[in-house]
Structures are given as C-alpha cells and as structure tokens.
Amino acid sequence: MERLEIKKGQILQRKGDTNTKVYQVESGLLRSYSIDEKGKEHIFMFAPEDWLMADNVPADLPADLFIDALEDTVVITGAKDFDKGHDTVKLIKRIGALQKRVIMLMSASAAERYEHFLKTYPQITQRVPQRMIASYLGITPETLSRVRKA
Amino acid sequence: MERLEIKKGQILQRKGDTNTKVYQVESGLLRSYSIDEKGKEHIFMFAPEDWLMADNVPADLPADLFIDALEDTVVITGAKDFDKGHDTVKLIKRIGALQKRVIMLMSASAAERYEHFLKTYPQITQRVPQRMIASYLGITPETLSRVRKA
DNA sequence: TTTATTTCTTGACCTATATCAATGCATAGC
DNA sequence: GCTATGCATTGATATAGGTCAAGAAATAAA
C-alpha cells in the first residue's frame, strides 16, 4: 500500500505489463483503455475521486488495459489480493453497472448512450474532452458532434 | 435455499418483478434478457450447468431482466444476500469477463464476435438457436447468417 | 405421418455510423 | 504575443449492419 502522485499524461500500466495492482483515486482522474489492431483507442472506464481503478484480469496474467492520468492525480495503490480487502457490495454494484452498459451497447443509439452518460456522469463530462467521451461510448468524435448538435 | 425443477419455456423472473433471488444451475440452461422499447430482445447471458444466474441490480429495486429456461432445468435458488455466500474470486472473474465483453462490443466486428463466441462457448453453441446467439452478440439473425456463410 | 410453427437463409433496399478531409476554435508551450 | 498542437465541427462519401419479405429447411405438435 503506497501513496503516489502522478502527473497528467503519466502512464500507470501498459497492456502486457505485469498486473498486480489496483488504484484507489484520492484526487484527480484516471482512465483505462485498450487499443485495437487498427490502432484505435477504446476507453473502458474513467475513475475520478473515490473510485477504484483496476484491470480486471487475474494478477498472474499480463494486463489487458492501459491506465493513465487525465489530470494530475493522487492514488493509493494496493496489491491485487483476491482473498481480502474487497468489498463484496461494491463488486456487485460494479457488475450491475457493467450489465447495464452491455445492454446499452447492444440496444441503444449513439444519442441515447450520450444522454445516459450526461445524466449518470455529469461531473466527468466537464473534465474530459469530447473525443474521450465518444471513445467510452463506442462511437467516433464526428458522430458525437452530430448527436450533440441534433 | 430451495431446489426447483422448471420446464423449457418457463419464466423465473420478469422485468419489474421483485428481485431477491439468484439461481445456481444444476442441470439445463437458463438465459437472461431485456426487451428494448422497440420490443426487440437482447440476451445478456446464458447459464448452463454450474453457472450462477443473477440479475445484478440490488434486491430492493425491481428486476431489469427476464430470466427463463431454454431447456428443462434444475436450479438451486438462493437469496440475494450481499454480505455472505459470495465467492469474491468468482465475482472478480465475472467482472473480467464483462470487461472483455464491453471492449468487444465497442471494437469488434460481427464476425469477430461470432468467432470469439464459438471458441469461448462451444457447448452453448450446440444448445441454442442461431437467433439467440445473434441476440447475445448484439446483431440480427440475418447478419449472423451472412457472417457464418462468409 | 401430417400439419403447424419456428428457424434459417437470401435478395433487395435502407440507415446509422464510420471514414476522410478541411477548416475554425481553443489551449498549451515558448 | 506568437506559434504549435489539440480538439471540435462540418460536408461528402463509404460501409457495416439493419429491415423487410419470401421461400426453404428443420423442428415441434398433433
């Protein structure tokens, strides 16, 4: 357990890295993302204050995601330790959020996704560029721009 | 905790129902799905033997998903009890699977999703109709048919 | 075995979103 | 203050997948 201060733009984890830590955000903003074989970024999650950032693959496998800071950020790092220190209620809430996200990705239009994002994460909306919101929603910046204009 | 035998086609839970149970599958096959405002079905998950079927919203809120049996099925029902009876390692694995699913929905083509499904769930492929696989993958039966033909 | 229903496939056409390029605006760096 | 870079918007075009309908095949029910 360790307290880290990192600068905007600094990378905490790259795909393929050993993957043994989780990051509790004290202040600032992290994101995790993957890069597909066309080189396109797909943001999996943002983590502002009080959120836990983790790459959810077992600690004995290489990382699936990049993790970096979108603002100067302070985190408390913890080891991935599956047998203790986890709040079951928080894990189940996270599963619930992912359930809704999967259903939305299968069924909602770009506009509907954006509307939902605005309502659910109004604070994050103010802190990240539009192109990152587009990436998180699974659409292009151009499509997001058109959706916002409509 | 109770052991239930249900018939193919029988519904265990409807959207809006009270939502206080989880279902451990002993034999058979369950699915959970939502219906969007156009009346279209979106399958969230299949649960064959040894899988746990749950609607991952808190027990004090109404259900988000329908759950029904695709075959004659035997389940052990349990109460949603967030403070005990949960295997943290299994919850984290489930989050990991959903993480990969979200990234795939944002970045993979229909063909890539189908290919991945075949590799990951070969047994389920044999037990459910194509139209349900399409629904789970977030594509239409016509698209799946064309992808398979290519 | 026959009939009814469901599922799958295919063709033709449509649509939501992607791609590409260009331009303007905002922000960062010097 | 100026220049460079990043971001957002817009137009034109392309594309992946959706929609609709019809017919064939498979499965279920009688």
Side-chain angles (χ1 to χ4, degrees):
Chain A
M1 206 118 123
E2 182 189 358
R3 188 174 184 278
L4 282 182
E5 289 182 27
I6 57 180
K7 290 293 190 189
K8 176 176 181 175
Q10 194 174 330
I11 298 180
L12 284 170
Q13 174 185 288
R14 289 179 173 81
K15 178 186 167 84
D17 279 358
T18 58
N19 156 48
T20 55
K21 292 186 183 313
V22 299
Y23 306 91
Q24 179 70 28
V25 179
E26 212 170 71
S27 68
L29 183 59
L30 298 180
R31 70 168 172 157
S32 59
Y33 62 96
S34 68
I35 298 183
D36 69 22
E37 65 283 354
K38 291 166 189 154
K40 191 178 171 193
E41 257 182 37
H42 301 279
I43 290 176
F44 174 66
M45 74 178 277
F46 299 104
E49 292 78 7
D50 299 321
W51 287 41
L52 188 76
M53 172 61 78
D55 184 355
N56 302 289
V57 302
D60 56 328
L61 294 178
D64 255 1
L65 299 176
F66 293 79
I67 300 175
D68 68 359
L70 300 182
E71 297 171 1
D72 292 354
T73 297
V74 178
V75 299
I76 310 294
T77 74
K80 268 183 184 171
D81 195 336
F82 289 168
D83 294 304
K84 59 191 178 198
H86 283 287
D87 183 344
T88 305
V89 172
K90 282 191 172 177
L91 290 177
I92 294 173
K93 277 189 171 176
R94 187 172 286 221
I95 294 175
L98 286 170
Q99 173 177 304
K100 289 185 191 304
R101 182 112 175 264
V102 163
I103 304 256
M104 179 162 298
L105 282 166
M106 291 198 289
S107 61
S109 66
E112 287 165 341
R113 287 183 223 165
Y114 180 56
E115 229 178 277
H116 185 268
F117 182 85
L118 287 181
K119 279 173 186 156
T120 311
Y121 306 112
Q123 302 256 356
I124 297 180
T125 307
Q126 310 290 336
R127 291 168 75 181
V128 301
Q130 302 285 337
R131 71 173 182 88
M132 289 192 184
I133 297 176
S135 174
Y136 173 87
L137 296 177
I139 60 179
T140 61
E142 293 89 346
T143 295
L144 180 56
S145 191
R146 297 188 223 276
V147 149
R148 295 179 78 235
K149 173 184 170 184
Chain B
M1 207 120 124
E2 181 191 359
R3 187 174 184 281
L4 282 183
E5 291 182 25
I6 56 182
K7 290 294 188 188
K8 177 175 179 176
Q10 195 172 329
I11 297 180
L12 284 168
Q13 173 185 291
R14 289 179 173 81
K15 180 184 165 86
D17 281 357
T18 58
N19 157 46
T20 54
K21 295 185 183 311
V22 299
Y23 305 94
Q24 178 70 31
V25 180
E26 214 170 71
S27 68
L29 184 59
L30 298 181
R31 72 171 171 154
S32 59
Y33 62 98
S34 69
I35 299 183
D36 70 22
E37 67 282 355
K38 289 167 191 152
K40 190 178 174 193
E41 256 183 36
H42 301 281
I43 290 176
F44 174 67
M45 76 177 273
F46 299 104
E49 292 77 6
D50 300 320
W51 286 43
L52 187 76
M53 172 61 79
D55 184 355
N56 302 288
V57 301
D60 57 329
L61 294 179
D64 256 0
L65 299 177
F66 293 79
I67 301 176
D68 69 359
L70 300 181
E71 299 171 0
D72 291 355
T73 298
V74 180
V75 300
I76 310 295
T77 74
K80 269 183 183 171
D81 193 336
F82 289 169
D83 294 303
K84 60 194 180 197
H86 284 287
D87 184 343
T88 305
V89 173
K90 282 191 171 177
L91 290 177
I92 292 173
K93 277 187 172 178
R94 186 171 288 220
I95 292 174
L98 286 170
Q99 172 178 305
K100 287 184 193 300
R101 181 112 177 263
V102 162
I103 304 256
M104 179 163 298
L105 282 167
M106 292 198 286
S107 61
S109 66
E112 287 164 342
R113 286 184 226 163
Y114 180 56
E115 228 178 277
H116 185 268
F117 181 87
L118 288 181
K119 281 172 184 156
T120 312
Y121 307 113
Q123 302 256 358
I124 298 179
T125 307
Q126 308 292 336
R127 292 167 76 182
V128 301
Q130 301 287 335
R131 73 175 182 85
M132 289 191 186
I133 297 176
S135 174
Y136 173 87
L137 296 177
I139 59 179
T140 62
E142 292 90 347
T143 295
L144 181 54
S145 192
R146 299 188 222 277
V147 148
R148 295 179 77 238
K149 173 183 169 183

